[in-house]
Amino acid sequence: MIDFTGDFTMTIDGRAAMTTATLAIVNPATAEPFAEAPDAGQADLDHAVAAARAAFPGWAAKALAERSALLGRIAAVLTENLDSLARLLVREQGKPLADARAEIGGTAYWASATAGLDLPVDHADGPMGHSETHHLPLGVVGAIVPWNFPLILAMFKIAPALLAGNTLVVKPSPFTPLTTLKFGELLRDVLPAGVLNVISGGDALGPMMTAHGDIDKISFTGSTATGKRVMQGAAATMKRLTLELGGNDAAIVLPDIDVAAITERLFWAAFKNSGQLCIATKRVYIHDDVYDALSASLAAYARTVVVGDGFDQGVRMGPIQNRVQFDRVQALIANARETGLTFLAGDTAATGPGYFVPVTLIDNPPDDARVVSEEAFGPVLPLMRYRDIDEAVARANATRMGLGGTVWGTDVAQAASVAARLEAGTVTINGPTSPSPLAPFAGHKESGLGAEGGRAGLLSYTNPRTIFFPRETA
Ligand code: NAD
């Protein structure tokens, strides 16, 4: 029987592994430490990489159908343990219990849907003759994950990497390692030893992975600044890279929308997970004709949303996950106040001891205000007026970020034509953006490199090998 409240160990070579040093894990709703996690160093990483390397040939040699069936088994294990994992996720991450359950359920779905992807041999005929292209696994994949959606973002990497025949070393964020450590423990008897290793550690562990000579690919999700460091670290060994980085997604609201119909959906597109979501709406451009009505409606809805401990009844928004991010969000709000911006909601001090920030809506700030140009990664949303759609598109695209975006309009064809003009990897019409295991999710510009999801995501865990059969020349 697994204890989901304590005894957090790493999984290396199918067995529990502990370290003498530990990390204190803080519950963001209380700001108090409640658990200890292993703090791995170079020797632990070397051990995990060696286990993954040793397991690689056997795993790669299995038929795709066998690996797919084991992914299905992983999904079943997640579903069987959904409630215990969700409760642990609330304690370490802070999100409301319903959202934590949705994350674990989504993680199971990601595993089972990825299991249905195929990796066929591609054929082509041309002047060079006939060719067939096989997609071979890379070897050992290092997965580095942030603290906002610890388990599902790990699964974005684990599922395609395993299906393609790779083995892994997974490193959750030092702020939220616990759910992923228990996930590793649950799989010790499910997967062959060494196929999936889970290690936890502090700030030094990520760079050790990017520099490691026996890791073939790093799949990283996190901030753009760290992503650039990962890219530098990976250069020396020419590691393959997938980078899913920050965003500053714009929503464009067209003049024909029904204010009452979209208020709640638009609100949650921005404030899900307290705004700590890479593809959250982080700037809203609202047509002048509907600006007053929609901003008032969003502000009224904001007043109904209860912020608090994720275990409390009725709470829809939890705390900011950690102190560093809390201070960053508070600084952004203080800057908005100091520069004289108008608050439509949230002009109240956050109340502790947890890292709580009220829902904050800013009324028509200039485009160069920090709340507009910086990714808040917290419950702070600027609403801006526009008159002309070309102007709105230009302002939405005036950023080095290009992760996602949304367009809101009653005439869906018109909304889709605006969506096609946004410089971003994923755009949603009339709803929040949510990645799918069946379609590529990719950041444009400085929001990332490569894609996760769909065939493009699966192929990113492979090297192609093309075999030619030259034409008869006689
Ligand atoms: P972060 O970049 O600080 O950390 C992410 C991970 O990288 C953690 O596991 C951390 O320990 C590790 N790390 C830190 N320094 C490292 C280094 N030098 N080399 C290698 N690894 C290192 O990000 P965060 O604060 O945990 O997450 C928030 C950011 O993540 C936001 O910018 C958000 O937009 C982004 N994000 C992007 C996506 C996406 O899919 N595009 C999804 C979620 C979050």
Side-chain angles (χ1 to χ4, degrees), residues 277-294:
L277 171 63
C278 54
I279 39 158
T281 291
K282 290 170 184 149
R283 303 173 282 153
V284 188
Y285 295 93
I286 305 172
H287 193 275
D288 214 22
D289 291 354
V290 286
Y291 184 90
D292 291 335
L294 181 58

Side-chain angles (χ1 to χ4, degrees), residues 16-255:
M18 198 46 204
T19 57
T20 38
T22 55
L23 302 168
I25 307 306
V26 171
N27 178 344
T30 61
E32 294 289 338
F34 71 99
E36 307 255 299
D39 185 3
Q42 186 71 51
D44 306 292
L45 173 63
D46 289 347
H47 181 194
V49 173
R53 178 62 59 194
F56 172 61
W59 182 250
K62 285 189 189 300
L64 186 80
E66 203 178 330
R67 296 197 297 263
S68 167
L70 281 165
L71 273 185
R73 183 72 203 116
I74 293 174
V77 167
L78 284 165
T79 307
E80 285 154 21
N81 293 278
L82 192 146
D83 198 57
S84 307
L85 288 167
R87 288 180 173 279
L88 179 57
L89 185 57
V90 175
R91 292 181 80 196
E92 70 171 338
Q93 207 286 330
K95 63 186 70 189
L97 183 57
D99 293 359
R101 294 178 64 88
E103 179 173 342
I104 308 299
T107 309
Y109 165 67
W110 204 280
S112 60
T114 303
L117 296 177
D118 197 8
L119 203 55
V121 175
D122 296 328
H123 295 270
D125 284 298
M128 312 302 291
H130 179 79
S131 67
E132 43 178 67
T133 302
H134 300 251
H135 302 285
L136 310 173
L138 301 169
V140 176
V141 172
I144 302 180
V145 185
W147 45 257
N148 57 340
F149 285 84
L151 202 59
I152 196 165
L153 292 180
M155 186 56 80
F156 281 20
K157 307 174 185 320
I158 293 167
L162 288 182
L163 186 68
N166 303 277
T167 57
L168 287 115
V169 177
V170 178
K171 189 199 85 63
S173 165
F175 293 114
T176 54
L178 304 180
T179 312
T180 314
L181 290 169
K182 285 295 165 191
F183 171 67
E185 187 176 342
L186 283 166
L187 296 181
R188 282 177 200 159
D189 298 330
V190 173
L191 295 170
V195 167
L196 179 69
N197 305 278
V198 180
I199 60 174
S200 57
D203 288 341
L205 193 54
M208 285 179 208
M209 289 174 73
T210 59
H212 202 286
D214 208 23
I215 292 181
D216 300 286
K217 167 167 180 156
I218 293 286
S219 183
F220 170 85
T221 301
S223 63
T224 295
T226 311
K228 290 178 181 177
R229 271 180 238 126
V230 169
M231 209 166 172
Q232 281 171 340
T237 46
M238 197 67 79
K239 287 183 179 62
R240 276 58 182 149
L241 282 177
T242 298
L243 302 175
E244 293 291 354
L245 309 177
N248 197 4
D249 295 6
I252 295 184
V253 180
L254 301 175

Side-chain angles (χ1 to χ4, degrees), residues 30 48-49 70 84 108 190 229 238 264 282 288 298 308 345 357 363 367 417 421 426 444 449 469:
T30 61
V49 173
L70 281 165
S84 307
V190 173
R229 271 180 238 126
M238 197 67 79
E264 200 170 329
K282 290 170 184 149
D288 214 22
L298 285 167
V357 174
D363 184 19
D367 284 357
S417 75
R421 297 172 65 191
T426 307
H444 293 192
L449 190 74
F469 300 87

Side-chain angles (χ1 to χ4, degrees), residues 320 324-334 357 376-380:
I320 295 296
V324 182
Q325 185 61 21
F326 176 74
D327 289 345
R328 222 177 267 151
V329 174
Q330 294 285 53
L332 211 55
I333 293 173
V357 174
F377 221 63
V380 184

Side-chain angles (χ1 to χ4, degrees), residues 246-400:
N248 197 4
D249 295 6
I252 295 184
V253 180
L254 301 175
D256 69 345
I257 49 112
D258 175 343
V259 166
I262 72 158
T263 296
E264 200 170 329
R265 251 178 307 149
L266 177 57
F267 180 90
W268 288 112
F271 289 101
K272 185 179 174 186
N273 211 43
S274 303
Q276 302 165 112
L277 171 63
C278 54
I279 39 158
T281 291
K282 290 170 184 149
R283 303 173 282 153
V284 188
Y285 295 93
I286 305 172
H287 193 275
D288 214 22
D289 291 354
V290 286
Y291 184 90
D292 291 335
L294 181 58
S295 57
S297 181
L298 285 167
Y301 184 76
R303 283 190 283 278
T304 70
V305 173
V306 181
V307 181
D309 187 319
F311 282 116
D312 290 351
Q313 278 291 327
V315 163
R316 299 286 306 273
M317 257 180 50
I320 295 296
Q321 197 282 323
N322 60 74
R323 176 93 222 180
V324 182
Q325 185 61 21
F326 176 74
D327 289 345
R328 222 177 267 151
V329 174
Q330 294 285 53
L332 211 55
I333 293 173
N335 175 268
R337 201 174 287 123
E338 284 154 21
T339 52
L341 299 181
T342 307
F343 287 64
L344 292 172
D347 196 12
T348 51
T351 47
Y355 307 135
F356 298 108
V357 174
V359 176
T360 304
L361 291 169
I362 312 278
D363 184 19
N364 202 29
D367 284 357
D368 62 357
R370 280 185 56 196
V371 281
V372 182
S373 61
E374 290 181 25
E375 176 187 35
F377 221 63
V380 184
L381 185 67
L383 310 177
M384 277 85 66
R385 286 178 191 270
Y386 77 88
R387 249 295 10 120
D388 171 65
I389 188 62
D390 293 341
E391 166 217 330
V393 169
R395 290 165 74 190
N397 287 337
T399 166
R400 288 299 305 150

